Amino acid sequence: MRRKNITIREDQAEWIEENHLNLSSFVRGQLDELIEERS
């Protein structure tokens, strides 16, 4: 697996923490959806 860095706003970081969201899983899922739509 390859690592990439992203920059998010402070309010986004707080929301992610408050909602116990795994950002890596979320981004991978969103990318998979976009790839499916465009294929």
Side-chain angles (χ1 to χ4, degrees):
M1 196 168 293
R2 180 173 277 200
R3 289 183 171 265
K4 295 285 185 179
N5 293 323
I6 64 168
T7 303
I8 59 174
R9 297 185 316 256
E10 187 65 33
D11 63 318
Q12 292 169 328
E14 290 173 6
W15 188 91
I16 288 167
E17 277 188 44
E18 290 169 2
N19 291 280
H20 309 287
L21 179 69
N22 182 312
L23 189 55
S24 292
S25 294
F26 176 77
V27 171
R28 283 193 306 268
Q30 292 298 305
L31 286 169
D32 283 342
E33 286 182 24
L34 286 172
I35 291 168
E36 279 286 315
E37 289 175 8
R38 295 181 182 207
S39 296

